Amino acid sequence: MGGSDDTLDLTVDLAAEYGLAVRVWLEPGRRTMRRRGLPVTDNNFLDSFSLDIEGKADRYAQRLRDLPAGLNE
């Protein structure tokens, strides 16, 4: 979830009403969610699509091994 604060507020309120999770990836939104006591990823998104196909499995496995502690996506 990115975008403006009012869009984030509306999205979070609707998600709570329907019992859904909200995916927030931009740091300003993550800070807002943390202030609300809601879970967000602790580390940047691991984008496997950015890896070249050649040797992708090995590099992806290494990235998984190197993930820092916390909630990762």
Side-chain angles (χ1 to χ4, degrees):
M1 174 82 225
S4 64
D5 289 341
D6 58 338
T7 302
L8 179 61
D9 290 340
L10 176 62
T11 302
V12 170
D13 291 345
L14 285 170
E17 183 177 335
Y18 289 96
L20 302 171
V22 178
R23 180 178 180 248
V24 179
W25 63 87
L26 297 175
E27 189 53 39
R30 290 180 357 190
R31 282 192 301 271
T32 299
M33 299 297 278
R34 284 187 188 105
R35 280 194 301 271
R36 291 180 173 200
L38 297 171
V40 293
T41 58
D42 295 311
N43 305 297
N44 290 332
F45 178 68
L46 174 58
D47 183 7
S48 65
F49 293 105
S50 67
L51 300 175
D52 291 331
I53 196 75
E54 184 68 33
K56 182 175 187 169
D58 291 334
R59 286 193 307 279
Y60 191 68
Q62 185 61 49
R63 283 187 175 194
L64 289 172
R65 284 190 294 274
D66 293 343
L67 281 175
L71 181 60
N72 294 281
E73 176 183 2

